[in-house]
Amino acid sequence: MNPVYEKLMKCYESVREKIDFTPEIALVLGSGLGDYGDSIRVEATLDYHEIEGFPVSTVQGHKGRFIFGYVEDVPVVCMQGRVHYYEGYPMTDVVLPTRLMKLMGAKVLFLTNAAGGINYDFAAGDFMMITDHIMNFVPSPLIGPNLDELGPRFPDMSDIYKKDLQEILRSTAKQLGMKLQEGVYIQLTGPNFETPQEVKMCRILGADAAGMSTAAEAVAANHMGMKVCGISCISNLACGMLDQPLSHVEVQETADRVSGQFKELVTAAIVNIHKGLESIS
Ligand code: HPA
């Protein structure tokens, strides 16, 4: 058996030995946004290190566990902490949790992250709905023998952040009277932040926000036929846009400041996605 698939199946069996819960929506919480877990009616939790072979994150501020439970009445699995490419994991490990959540039954992947704003119209504390991404600076998680059990060799990416889900997020924000920016997310390797010239390059390429996660997970999910949507919390303006150095502390402070609004938006969006799911192809 393909070792990537074998590892995934081992993890799946290990989860199923402990947890019998079928989520509809899988939610990934980004840097500083992990306390969304408090908004979930928790049925069970599973620490990543309890899952045999599962990649465990080393980043501060990232708890490493799955939460299984309900947002209002919607069954969700939530990742409190993700692993990043810059931690040294191969991309196949980075996306293993995403694939695992699909195997658990999740139909929708709702990605969140903290990102640096590249678009001059953005301010720290804004939310940006991801409309598309660029990830040519990191390897595709699909490199290697195709896992035919999961999806096709050459998957289409033309509607990766589903337009129907985008419309739901847009109308949810409107309903709440909340500003929701929109734009293209670029995934870079990290862990260093970009140089000012790299930020200029990203802007020329058409990116609106930069980060170190998310796009690879979206690709793996799309490969498996999940419906994907995403929101970035613009935790800072990217390097060189302000005359001050950038730190991870700033990223976490902004995420803390807007966490109340974030919870409101994500909860309402999950409820609306659940309502609209039947009609999304
Ligand atoms: N660049 C890349 N990743 C990030 C940033 C940034 O400015 N802020 C939060 N994650």
Side-chain angles (χ1 to χ4, degrees):
M1 206 193 283
N2 177 295
V4 173
Y5 188 68
E6 195 173 345
K7 186 169 182 176
L8 176 65
M9 283 304 149
K10 274 219 174 101
C11 287
Y12 179 63
E13 279 158 27
S14 177
V15 169
R16 276 295 170 240
E17 273 165 21
K18 299 174 180 82
I19 307 280
D20 177 26
F21 186 91
T22 304
E24 178 177 278
I25 298 181
L27 176 67
V28 182
L29 300 174
S31 283
L33 302 169
D35 75 346
Y36 184 78
D38 302 345
S39 307
I40 297 173
R41 185 151 46 86
V42 178
E43 290 280 309
T45 62
L46 186 60
D47 285 355
Y48 296 155
H49 67 251
E50 291 180 69
I51 307 169
E52 216 182 309
F54 193 89
V56 178
S57 176
T58 57
V59 186
Q60 266 184 9
H62 284 258
K63 286 184 195 164
R65 60 176 190 167
F66 284 116
I67 301 174
F68 300 88
Y70 293 88
V71 171
E72 306 284 338
D73 285 331
V74 186
V76 300
V77 55
C78 174
M79 284 184 71
Q80 212 168 27
R82 50 153 65 94
V83 291
H84 299 83
Y85 186 57
Y86 62 74
E87 292 175 74
Y89 292 101
M91 270 300 186
T92 47
D93 272 359
V94 171
V95 303
L96 183 146
T98 301
R99 288 172 162 165
L100 195 52
M101 293 191 293
K102 169 71 163 82
L103 295 179
M104 291 174 197
K107 298 184 177 77
V108 173
L109 178 65
F110 194 148
L111 294 161
T112 73
N113 59 50
I118 290 178
N119 186 321
Y120 277 110
D121 292 337
F122 292 0
D126 281 354
F127 296 122
M128 182 193 88
M129 177 175 78
I130 303 174
T131 55
D132 203 348
H133 74 225
I134 299 169
M135 62 162 292
N136 307 90
F137 295 94
V138 294
S140 167
L142 307 183
I143 290 174
N146 186 52
L147 305 178
D148 296 328
E149 297 88 344
L150 305 187
R153 173 74 290 188
F154 301 109
D156 174 47
M157 294 284 148
S158 53
D159 190 22
I160 178 164
Y161 300 88
K162 281 246 169 256
K163 292 201 176 53
D164 292 339
L165 291 179
Q166 288 185 39
E167 195 42 49
I168 292 174
L169 294 189
R170 207 175 277 125
S171 61
T172 302
K174 204 166 166 195
Q175 189 187 316
L176 297 172
M178 217 179 260
K179 181 165 89 174
L180 183 61
Q181 306 274 23
E182 298 187 12
V184 173
Y185 177 90
I186 186 164
Q187 180 172 357
L188 302 163
T189 64
N192 52 293
F193 291 116
E194 305 70 44
T195 66
Q197 191 58 37
E198 286 164 350
V199 171
K200 274 190 202 164
M201 175 196 70
C202 293
R203 191 177 298 117
I204 290 166
L205 292 178
D208 297 289
M212 307 172 191
S213 66
T214 301
E217 293 151 81
V219 166
N222 189 52
H223 178 235
M224 291 182 81
M226 288 179 101
K227 299 168 181 34
V228 181
C229 63
I231 295 180
S232 294
C233 166
I234 304 299
S235 54
N236 56 279
L237 289 182
C239 275
M241 292 173 69
L242 299 175
D243 194 16
Q244 64 186 46
L246 189 56
S247 73
H248 188 58
V249 173
E250 181 184 345
V251 171
Q252 286 191 311
E253 279 174 358
T254 307
D256 281 350
R257 177 162 64 78
V258 298
S259 79
Q261 273 181 297
F262 176 79
K263 281 180 193 165
E264 209 186 331
L265 178 60
V266 171
T267 296
I270 286 177
V271 169
N272 288 338
I273 290 169
H274 171 71
K275 280 188 205 149
L277 198 54
E278 290 299 306
S279 60
I280 298 174
S281 54

